[in-house]
Amino acid sequence: YDPYYRSYAWFGLLLFGPMYLLASLVPPGTPPVVRRLLLVVPPFAVVCVLFSSIIESRIFTPVYPLVLPGLMFTLLRADTSKSAV
């Protein structure tokens, strides 16, 4: 049992949490597929924590393609102003 090796994976999970919370604040008008992708993340994380070895940090890499579209729509909002160039 190596506590440092296990804490590395838990630290990655703790850093991933705020990224998911920020991605879940998608603005109205976001495509429905982005919201549906974000609904898959909590059950996936629960299954990973319950049925896998948390010492491996790579088990959460399939979650990044699910969260990144929501994160991009949250952070990079389109300019909807009607100003002329």
Side-chain angles (χ1 to χ4, degrees), residues 54-78:
I54 195 64
I55 61 172
E56 191 60 48
S57 61
R58 291 178 288 177
I59 59 173
F60 294 108
T61 54
V63 176
Y64 288 113
L66 301 175
V67 173
L68 287 179
L71 194 63
M72 289 188 326
F73 273 101
T74 301
L75 295 177
L76 306 173
R77 295 187 179 173

Side-chain angles (χ1 to χ4, degrees), residues 15-40:
L15 287 178
F16 187 74
M19 186 172 75
Y20 172 73
L21 290 175
L22 186 63
S24 65
L25 300 173
V26 290
T30 304
V33 69
V34 173
R35 294 181 187 271
R36 290 186 194 121
L37 287 173
L38 292 173
L39 292 176
V40 176

Side-chain angles (χ1 to χ4, degrees), residues 37-58:
L37 287 173
L38 292 173
L39 292 176
V40 176
V41 174
F44 182 81
V46 168
V47 168
C48 286
V49 169
L50 290 178
F51 298 113
S52 67
S53 176
I54 195 64
I55 61 172
E56 191 60 48
S57 61
R58 291 178 288 177

